[in-house]
Amino acid sequence: QLRYCEEVGLKAIVGMDTSLDNTAGVQLDETDYSSFPAVDMINVWDEPYGNVFEDCAKRIDRLNEIYDNNMTLYVNQSPYNPLSATTLTDNETFLNKVYDELLSKMPGRKIFSTDVYPLLESYGSYELDTGWLGKMEAYANFTKKYRSEGAEFHMFIQSYSDDRRRDILSKDDITFQVYTDMAFGINGFTYFTYRKSFLGGFGGGCVENDVSCKPTEVYYWAQETNEAINKFDHVYLSFDWNGVMGVNGKNNVADDPEYENASFMNLATPLKELDCAKSVSATEDTIIGQFKDKDGRDGLMVTNFSEPTTGLRDVVSFEFKKANRAIVYRNGERKIYEVKKNKLDLKLACGEGVFV
């Protein structure tokens, strides 16, 4: 498979098939994968509990020896902050432990990675995981804290369904997740699952799980999304994330003056204002990530935060402090907008985000 990846120009992450508290007793695979140019990195352990960090750290040390510190390693973390199978802790305690005991041992890239699959179904109704944004904010803040040490932020994108998570119904479900994650400064993302799971109760996936690996609709929606992101990611990645703001939609507030988006309420350190703007408002709930580049220029990732199946269109209105032009990347395409009297309105379809 790795030789085939090399032939077609794909990069691969090698998984060690070790997860949680490793009750299966999986031993470290000490194969030297450096002879395979397609190998981009190694996933040492998936969602380890805190009580196996010592074992995980020893594996990291051994892999550093095998690869002479020249292989990118990463450990994907559980969003539930487990210290053991029965004990959870808070974000700060867990992520400090992750960095101190695991990531600090990794030369070069230090990847904060987790998985929140936010598209839920409950009693026939579609809803969002209200803990999603708060979890990403915690990871984004830790990435910011250790940015000078090589920290990055990686998220998984839901492309599957189970008894709690709903089916992926359209491309909007994909773009909604990606653009929302980008408002928290992610450096990369991975679809889960790529291949439809063999386990009972799981649906979705980008390709079928038989030998044909026939692409599903999700495959083509993901492909289109990737192509759009690839057109402007060099611009986005040249900016550093420094905060996020939730804007409650005017239409929701009009119906209920005390309305507050439940997901926004779980943000621990939301921005109260934007560096570049006097004010911002939106017709629907909107998430805005704030960025700066090395020259001090402002960037904004603006995403319509309406549940993707609602079809709600959003108008986000900015009054900037000083601007006469705005460069906007929409669906990967660059367009320059004239800003009159420091004011700019951006129209966003459901599931849409733009980088400004």
Side-chain angles (χ1 to χ4, degrees):
Q1 289 178 325
L2 292 174
R3 293 300 184 200
Y4 180 74
C5 287
E6 184 181 348
E7 290 175 14
V8 298
L10 289 174
K11 290 292 186 180
I13 298 173
V14 174
M16 294 283 103
D17 290 330
T18 310
S19 63
L20 307 178
D21 57 357
N22 194 24
T23 53
V26 177
Q27 300 299 305
L28 178 64
D29 177 1
E30 296 196 2
T31 304
D32 185 351
Y33 289 101
S34 61
S35 61
F36 297 91
V39 175
D40 187 51
M41 65 180 75
I42 292 175
N43 181 8
V44 182
W45 202 306
D46 187 40
E47 298 189 351
Y49 299 159
N51 61 3
V52 294
F53 275 17
E54 183 177 356
D55 184 9
C56 186
K58 289 178 181 178
R59 296 179 185 221
I60 292 169
D61 287 339
R62 177 60 185 140
L63 290 169
N64 283 335
E65 289 178 8
I66 293 171
Y67 295 102
D68 194 24
N69 293 324
N70 288 317
M71 176 64 74
T72 298
L73 310 175
Y74 92 102
V75 176
N76 185 56
Q77 303 300 332
S78 166
Y80 303 111
N81 306 332
L83 294 178
S84 70
T86 58
T87 305
L88 306 179
T89 188
D90 60 275
N91 289 329
E92 185 169 359
T93 299
F94 189 72
L95 291 176
N96 273 319
K97 187 176 177 69
V98 167
Y99 186 83
D100 292 342
E101 298 182 26
L102 302 179
L103 300 193
S104 64
K105 290 178 166 289
M106 299 177 183
R109 300 168 66 186
K110 296 170 174 57
I111 303 171
F112 283 99
S113 174
T114 193
D115 43 50
V116 180
Y117 304 115
L119 306 179
L120 309 180
E121 182 174 0
S122 178
Y123 301 103
S125 297
Y126 296 150
E127 58 187 39
L128 299 175
D129 183 336
T130 56
W132 176 31
L133 302 190
K135 183 61 61 176
M136 286 198 295
E137 179 193 39
Y139 273 73
N141 279 325
F142 265 80
T143 303
K144 178 182 175 182
K145 178 180 178 180
Y146 291 107
R147 186 180 295 146
S148 63
E149 304 298 323
E152 299 179 20
F153 181 17
H154 170 271
M155 281 291 291
F156 281 84
I157 301 299
Q158 178 184 335
S159 57
Y160 80 104
S161 61
D162 60 18
D163 58 348
R164 290 186 60 240
R165 298 168 182 89
R166 66 171 176 81
D167 290 327
I168 303 301
L169 303 174
S170 72
K171 180 184 169 184
D172 291 347
D173 288 337
I174 299 294
T175 56
F176 170 72
Q177 293 180 76
V178 173
Y179 290 135
T180 297
D181 289 359
M182 289 175 70
F184 291 81
I186 61 167
N187 302 93
F189 59 89
T190 301
Y191 294 97
F192 184 85
T193 60
Y194 178 72
R195 197 175 189 182
K196 183 178 180 179
S197 176
F198 289 92
L199 298 176
F202 279 74
C206 297
V207 299
E208 297 293 349
N209 59 16
D210 58 21
V211 293
S212 73
C213 287
K214 180 181 178 181
T216 65
E217 283 185 304
V218 176
Y219 177 95
Y220 296 105
W221 295 331
Q223 183 183 58
E224 291 174 13
T225 301
N226 291 351
E227 288 175 347
I229 300 298
N230 189 54
K231 290 180 181 178
F232 76 100
D233 65 354
H234 62 290
V235 178
Y236 166 82
L237 291 171
S238 70
F239 284 75
D240 289 329
W241 179 89
N242 62 24
V244 70
M245 169 188 285
V247 181
N248 292 306
K250 289 182 177 179
N251 291 339
N252 292 317
V253 175
D255 293 336
D256 176 6
E258 297 183 359
Y259 173 84
E260 194 167 353
N261 184 289
S263 295
F264 298 166
M265 292 173 67
N266 283 319
L267 294 172
T269 57
L271 298 175
K272 301 301 182 184
E273 59 184 25
L274 301 173
D275 291 344
C276 62
K278 292 181 179 178
S279 65
V280 58
S281 63
T283 57
E284 303 299 337
D285 294 347
T286 304
I287 196 80
I288 301 174
Q290 178 171 265
F291 298 76
K292 292 271 189 188
D293 73 1
K294 61 181 178 60
D295 297 317
R297 288 175 292 205
D298 295 294
L300 301 171
M301 188 70 216
V302 186
T303 303
N304 181 345
F305 195 68
S306 303
E307 202 284 335
T309 61
T310 63
L312 293 172
R313 302 183 69 84
D314 189 15
V315 179
V316 187
S317 300
F318 293 94
E319 182 178 358
F320 293 112
K321 293 178 179 178
K322 186 178 181 181
N324 54 35
R325 297 287 190 277
I327 300 173
V328 178
Y329 291 87
R330 184 191 300 271
N331 198 32
E333 302 299 330
R334 179 179 184 268
K335 183 177 179 180
I336 298 176
Y337 285 70
E338 184 177 4
V339 178
K340 296 181 178 179
K341 296 182 179 180
N342 291 315
K343 295 182 179 181
L344 175 68
D345 288 347
L346 294 172
K347 297 179 180 179
L348 300 177
C350 208
E352 188 173 27
V354 296
F355 188 65
V356 184

